[in-house]
Amino acid sequence: MKFFMGILLAVALVVMAFCMAATHFKKHNLKRLIQIMLSIAILIVFNYEIVLFLKNEQGNLLAHSVYFIATDWMLYYMLQFSIEYSGSNFDQFVKRKLMLLLLFADGVSLLLNTKFCHLFRLHPVTRYHGEHFYAMETTPFFYVHYCIIIMLVTFCLTSLFYRAFHMPRFYRTKYLTIAIIMVIIVIANIFSFKQAIDFSIIGYALEGIALYQCVLIFTPQRLLQKTLMVISQDMPVGLIVLDIEGEVLYSNCLARDLLNADSPLSNKHGVPFREWCREQYFSKAENTTQDYTFYRHAEKTILNIQFEILRDARGKLQGGYFVIYDRTEEINKMQEERFLATHDSLTGLYNKNQFCRKTRDYIDNHQDETLLIVCSNIKDFKMINDLFGDKAGDLILKSSADMVKSPENNALVYGRLSNDIFALLIRKVDFNEDRFASRMQEVSPAGMETEISYPLINYIGIYEITDPTVPVSVMCDRAKLAISKIKGDYHKRTAHYDEELRENIRCETELIRDFNNAIDQKQLKMYLQPQVSSDGRMLGAEALVRWEHPVKGLIPPAQFLPVFEKNGLISDVDKYMWETACAQLRDWKEQGREDLYISVNISPRDFYLLNIYQIFTELVEKYEINPRNLKLEITETAIIMDFDRQMELISKLRSYGFSVEMDDFGSGNSSLNLLKDIYVDVLKIDMVFLQAAQDEERSRKILRMIISLSKQLGMPVITEGVETIEQLRFLDQMGCDMFQGYYFARPMPVEQFERLYFEQSR
Ligand code: C2E
Ligand code: CA
Ligand code: CA
């Protein structure tokens, strides 16, 4: 029996020694406590080996004392452990010092027992077929030690059970294991007490190992499982785990939502998501990550799905899992951004870049087709926008976009290039110019409460792609340029980019280039055209520019001013002409002809490019002339473009003393109604405009109206373009005050003017 027990304890010792060595590598705040308890358990077991085999009575007595002392301390540390394990304070629970004192006293008493045998003594006995043992015989004082042990055990068990039932379920196992082993030790102790072999020793060994195992090794599997489950439930990705049969073993919240049978997600073939997962599982031999599109009713869902196959250590298939990330929002946003980068936000058509890109692709892939670039441009769109507001402007653009989109156009690519300019790429054979033009005239600000009392005209420019290597943006420019051919022609809506236009452009470029030194080389000349009263008296003159080109000869303003109007060079011309006129007035003043005036033209562009008020007042001061002698001709168009600002400027100029004339009245789009709001000194009517548009009778009627209205408003009228005596007669009859026209004289150089009129009056 001794031998059997000895072997058992030796094995226990080896296991404990292993545990002890292993604690060395563990990291735990209770590591030290576990090491102490393991050491004590080792001591107890080792000591008992001595008890078993030592034949010396005195030595055995000492070994017994050591055993009792060790159990004291084992229980002390067990108590400390059971209290501290859950983080509470040991001192709070029991009076630590008192207990230590008690244990020391008990320890000393037990040691003294080897000398005085006041607690127990040993006497040899023979048990188990003649084996020699020492049996213990206790004195009543031994019960003091016994009481201490019972007290410690009670404390320990109470604390352990208390903890066990107050801890989360997953930790309970640990406490209960330790507590149950302790109960076993107590029971074994009761039964082995005064017996030859104390079987409770095995309990101590088990307790030591259990402590190591429970505290340092054991991780509550279910806790782990549950924690992982909780974490995975609320993960921002979906998780689906399939078993070996491809059945869903586990799915988190998000994934359940996707698998939901009430409104199931399915792919484009109608395969429900759950079924799809199974198919993937059986068809995929390796791990994949990919975007897939699914539908819930008509709603599109884009999922990024990572599929992983699960295999065991030997590589055998165990199942698989899907990690699902919903990218719908992200992709929608990306698509929206891409859309905004390539499309016009108002009309939804391609923007210029995208139109050019798509057109380029088409041209490159269809070299054998004859293609056209067709551009549309709304007449006076800026003015319509100003007059009727941005909302009306937007509606007109949307309506234009609808027309451009119309499938009847057979357009291959279409887009909005800028403000009111749309472009289309169309095969020449598919393009019906007249029908397209009339369709584009149907543009209207649909949805506006009030009608727009303005004719909406859409001009169409057409460019046939003859050289596919030309950049698309240049092709568009050419189509747009074609439109410039229409302007001024009332009935025309479409125009082609052709050789003539190309030639015009070449000429324009030349003119601009040549203008560089025209002013410095005094190539610009001021011509004067007299303005006369009804009795033929010369009152003053209009200054009209001429360009004496060293190669091309005398160029009339109609040939170069429209070009300069476009690029702003006109302001240089005007500034030059104003200064020349002022210098001339100064000259006349010195000649004693302060009664004559000169009228100068102000281009609409000047209002944006120059500080008109400042320039004129400075000129008047510089040349010391009377502002009354300088008449300023402002066109109706310039006033309408920015009515309030222009009226303010006109009023400032008039208060300074300038005489302001409204030029070309009747040529623009103003209504007679506007007259009452415009405060100018003189109204200038051009006969040529009236004659061009209407029959003579009608134009006379209009003339009569304007003249009488103007007179009522206290504005004298000057008519220009008077070519015949008849015209002069009826104008005179109608009450026109002043005249200008070929009938009297053509514009002429200053010297000629002076010669003709100054000599005449002398
Ligand atoms: P406008 O200001 O209406 O000038 C009157 C134009 O009518 C002048 O043409 C003049 O020669 C022409 N004209 C005069 N009497 C008759 C007539 O009896 N019958 C016909 N058919 N025409 C007549 P011009 O000099 O060729 O000027 C054309 C336009 O160029 C001007 O029209 C004006 O708008 C512009 N312009 C001329 N010089 C200047 C200038 O220095 N600055 C600015 N901004 N524009 C100018
Ligand atoms: Ca004029
Ligand atoms: Ca005029």
Side-chain angles (χ1 to χ4, degrees):
M1 191 66 189
K2 259 192 192 186
F3 177 73
F4 172 70
M5 186 70 178
I7 294 288
L8 200 64
L9 293 182
V11 170
L13 270 174
V14 171
V15 175
M16 281 192 288
F18 168 78
C19 292
M20 188 69 180
T23 53
H24 189 73
F25 303 102
K26 301 282 176 206
K27 279 202 176 99
H28 198 284
N29 57 346
L30 292 176
K31 177 177 145 178
R32 264 190 55 74
L33 210 53
I34 300 297
Q35 279 174 332
I36 292 172
M37 287 191 285
L38 257 174
S39 313
I40 298 173
I42 289 171
L43 178 70
I44 291 172
V45 175
F46 183 72
N47 185 70
Y48 198 74
E49 291 272 33
I50 296 170
V51 170
L52 273 184
F53 297 105
L54 194 70
K55 295 268 171 54
N56 176 307
E57 190 187 320
Q58 199 56 33
N60 223 316
L61 212 52
L62 178 66
H64 267 81
S65 292
V66 170
Y67 163 59
F68 289 128
I69 293 169
T71 49
D72 268 359
W73 289 100
M74 179 80 179
L75 286 168
Y76 170 80
Y77 283 111
M78 279 289 288
L79 181 59
Q80 186 171 345
F81 159 80
S82 60
I83 293 164
E84 266 184 24
Y85 197 10
S86 55
S88 45
N89 193 346
F90 180 66
D91 289 332
Q92 258 180 9
F93 193 74
V94 268
K95 291 285 164 230
R96 187 190 175 91
K97 280 189 185 140
L98 189 79
M99 187 158 292
L100 284 174
L101 202 73
L102 210 62
L103 290 181
F104 271 112
D106 191 40
V108 170
S109 156
L110 280 163
L111 282 175
L112 288 175
N113 187 65
T114 43
K115 186 111 184 95
F116 305 111
C117 290
H118 57 290
L119 301 175
F120 61 88
R121 60 179 70 243
L122 301 173
H123 56 90
V125 287
T126 309
R127 299 276 155 82
Y128 307 112
H129 313 292
E131 275 183 314
H132 177 268
F133 291 95
Y134 283 105
M136 200 168 72
E137 198 178 308
T138 55
T139 70
F141 289 113
F142 185 76
Y143 289 95
V144 177
H145 166 75
Y146 218 70
C147 284
I148 292 172
I149 294 285
I150 286 169
M151 178 191 77
L152 280 171
V153 167
T154 315
F155 272 163
C156 262
L157 284 178
T158 315
S159 159
L160 278 171
F161 280 114
Y162 179 84
R163 291 279 156 226
F165 290 104
H166 279 85
M167 284 306 259
R169 208 148 47 95
F170 305 111
Y171 291 99
R172 208 168 284 166
T173 335
K174 291 169 137 191
Y175 283 95
L176 284 180
T177 312
I178 296 165
I180 287 166
I181 294 177
M182 187 169 273
V183 172
I184 292 169
I185 295 175
V186 173
I187 294 169
N189 223 302
I190 292 168
F191 283 105
S192 327
F193 191 58
K194 294 186 181 174
Q195 291 296 315
I197 288 180
D198 186 350
F199 289 104
S200 70
I201 300 296
I202 301 164
Y204 286 105
L206 283 178
E207 191 75 311
I209 296 163
L211 280 166
Y212 165 79
Q213 188 66 26
C214 288
V215 180
L216 300 182
I217 303 295
F218 173 82
T219 39
Q221 281 309 315
R222 285 184 52 213
L223 171 75
L224 195 66
Q225 232 172 38
K226 176 100 189 204
T227 313
L228 287 178
M229 204 99 110
V230 169
I231 295 168
S232 75
Q233 278 302 324
D234 298 331
M235 274 197 310
V237 293
L239 187 68
I240 296 175
V241 182
L242 299 185
D243 65 10
I244 192 158
E245 261 88 46
E247 293 299 330
V248 176
L249 199 64
Y250 168 76
S251 59
N252 70 353
C253 277
L254 244 151
R256 261 197 301 282
D257 204 38
L258 300 174
L259 294 164
N260 187 2
D262 295 344
S263 54
L265 211 59
S266 55
N267 72 357
K268 65 170 185 253
H269 305 297
V271 178
F273 188 61
R274 186 183 290 267
E275 207 42 48
W276 182 89
C277 289
R278 259 178 76 87
E279 280 177 14
Q280 290 292 306
Y281 172 73
F282 286 116
S283 65
K284 289 258 152 64
E286 55 192 61
N287 302 343
T288 54
T289 304
Q290 219 176 309
D291 279 354
Y292 297 92
T293 306
F294 293 93
Y295 299 88
R296 177 171 280 151
H297 304 305
E299 207 179 302
K300 204 165 149 184
T301 303
I302 300 155
L303 302 178
N304 179 278
I305 302 181
Q306 178 190 349
F307 172 62
E308 301 274 337
I309 299 165
L310 286 173
R311 291 180 194 283
D312 67 5
R314 286 173 300 157
K316 288 219 160 154
L317 189 67
Q318 275 184 325
Y321 69 91
F322 295 90
V323 179
I324 304 151
Y325 171 55
D326 191 340
R327 295 191 64 202
T328 314
E329 217 169 290
E330 184 189 326
I331 286 182
N332 282 349
K333 212 170 151 195
M334 245 160 60
Q335 279 172 344
E336 196 180 322
E337 274 166 16
R338 205 176 305 147
F339 184 84
L340 286 179
T342 52
H343 289 70
D344 162 45
S345 56
L346 179 73
T347 62
L349 301 192
Y350 284 154
N351 59 17
K352 184 178 175 181
N353 282 343
Q354 190 68 358
F355 174 79
C356 290
R357 224 172 286 143
K358 292 279 173 184
T359 300
R360 172 50 58 206
D361 288 351
Y362 192 89
I363 295 172
D364 289 350
N365 294 318
H366 301 82
Q367 301 266 3
D368 50 330
E369 292 180 9
T370 310
L371 300 166
L372 304 175
I373 297 273
V374 180
C375 274
S376 76
N377 184 351
I378 298 163
K379 183 175 178 254
D380 298 332
F381 182 71
K382 192 193 168 312
M383 193 154 80
I384 295 170
N385 226 358
D386 289 350
L387 289 176
F388 304 103
D390 290 352
K391 196 180 156 208
D394 285 356
L395 288 172
I396 291 170
L397 290 175
K398 280 188 190 156
S399 164
S400 297
D402 287 343
M403 298 302 164
V404 166
K405 270 192 273 191
S406 163
E408 289 167 53
N409 295 337
N410 300 313
L412 303 163
V413 185
Y414 48 81
R416 181 181 170 204
L417 298 188
S418 61
N419 298 332
D420 57 332
I421 300 180
F422 294 84
L424 305 91
L425 176 74
I426 308 177
R427 271 188 220 99
K428 194 177 178 182
V429 288
D430 292 340
F431 185 59
N432 184 322
E433 189 173 322
D434 292 339
R435 248 189 274 154
F436 180 78
S438 60
R439 192 172 307 122
M440 290 308 289
Q441 305 315 315
E442 285 164 27
V443 166
S444 74
M448 278 286 281
E449 295 101 45
T450 48
E451 281 250 325
I452 284 186
S453 51
Y454 198 94
L456 280 171
I457 296 172
N458 231 325
Y459 290 135
I460 318 293
I462 303 151
Y463 170 72
E464 183 176 326
I465 302 173
T466 43
D467 177 3
T469 58
V470 170
V472 176
S473 63
V474 175
M475 295 178 182
C476 293
D477 286 343
R478 289 182 180 172
K480 280 192 277 178
L481 268 174
I483 292 174
S484 65
K485 283 209 305 188
I486 313 170
K487 292 195 173 158
D489 190 333
Y490 191 79
H491 300 286
K492 235 176 137 182
R493 294 289 178 266
T494 60
H496 288 255
Y497 179 89
D498 51 20
E499 273 318 303
E500 186 194 332
L501 196 60
R502 193 195 299 266
E503 180 57 22
N504 286 349
I505 292 160
R506 201 188 53 75
C507 285
E508 284 184 8
T509 327
E510 238 175 58
L511 281 174
I512 293 165
R513 189 198 60 207
D514 292 350
F515 185 70
N516 263 332
N517 29 16
I519 289 184
D520 290 346
Q521 294 179 0
K522 303 221 178 303
Q523 291 171 11
L524 293 190
K525 298 283 179 230
M526 181 175 74
Y527 270 45
L528 293 173
Q529 186 178 31
Q531 296 185 339
V532 300
S533 62
S534 55
D535 56 7
R537 205 160 40 89
M538 193 270 290
L539 305 165
E542 177 175 4
L544 295 157
V545 69
R546 297 289 181 270
W547 184 355
E548 266 174 18
H549 194 279
V551 183
K552 293 180 178 146
L554 196 73
I555 315 176
Q559 269 180 37
F560 60 92
L561 285 189
V563 181
F564 293 177
E565 184 100 36
K566 277 191 276 183
N567 63 11
L569 279 179
I570 191 149
S571 297
D572 293 340
V573 176
D574 282 349
K575 273 192 296 182
Y576 176 77
M577 287 293 285
W578 301 341
E579 175 128 27
T580 315
C582 289
Q584 192 58 60
L585 284 171
R586 163 79 188 217
D587 200 22
W588 286 351
K589 186 182 166 184
E590 281 164 3
Q591 290 180 43
R593 294 306 307 256
E594 231 182 320
D595 56 324
L596 298 177
Y597 65 82
I598 296 180
S599 243
V600 291
N601 288 287
I602 301 175
S603 145
R605 282 297 291 267
D606 294 337
F607 292 93
Y608 296 99
L609 300 172
L610 303 173
N611 185 338
I612 290 176
Y613 182 79
Q614 192 187 347
I615 294 176
F616 279 114
T617 51
E618 277 174 14
L619 279 175
V620 163
E621 276 160 34
K622 180 176 169 190
Y623 291 98
E624 296 171 321
I625 50 167
N626 188 341
R628 197 134 291 284
N629 289 347
L630 194 65
K631 290 200 181 186
L632 313 178
E633 294 196 6
I634 298 171
T635 62
E636 190 189 2
T637 336
I639 296 177
I640 292 175
M641 276 195 316
D642 198 345
F643 191 84
D644 295 335
R645 218 181 95 195
Q646 253 60 295
M647 286 323 291
E648 197 191 317
L649 173 67
I650 290 172
S651 121
K652 260 169 74 183
L653 289 166
R654 291 180 71 206
S655 4
Y656 189 84
F658 292 107
S659 174
V660 177
E661 245 175 59
M662 174 130 88
D663 198 3
D664 298 343
F665 189 79
S667 72
N669 306 291
S670 64
S671 63
L672 285 177
N673 220 4
L674 204 70
L675 256 186
K676 67 175 183 347
D677 299 319
I678 296 175
Y679 295 92
V680 291
D681 297 284
V682 183
L683 200 68
K684 193 170 187 182
I685 309 164
D686 196 327
M687 290 239 29
V688 182
F689 292 125
L690 291 163
Q691 280 166 358
Q694 271 95 19
D695 61 87
E696 209 172 323
E697 189 45 44
R698 218 178 127 84
S699 69
R700 280 185 193 209
K701 277 185 185 158
I702 293 173
L703 254 180
R704 193 189 301 277
M705 270 265 285
I706 298 175
I707 293 171
S708 88
L709 208 67
S710 169
K711 302 230 92 175
Q712 281 171 37
L713 294 166
M715 276 187 281
V717 177
I718 175 166
T719 315
E720 61 181 327
V722 183
E723 291 181 342
T724 62
I725 177 96
E726 291 80 31
Q727 287 175 343
L728 174 67
R729 283 212 184 108
F730 79 70
L731 284 168
D732 188 28
Q733 226 182 6
M734 284 175 199
C736 182
D737 310 272
M738 289 171 284
F739 311 89
Q740 180 186 345
Y742 294 168
Y743 175 73
F744 301 99
R746 288 186 175 250
M748 61 190 84
V750 179
E751 307 79 54
Q752 195 186 341
F753 183 89
E754 285 179 338
R755 213 178 317 125
L756 222 88
Y757 292 97
F758 289 11
E759 274 163 18
Q760 186 191 47
S761 60
R762 255 175 221 148

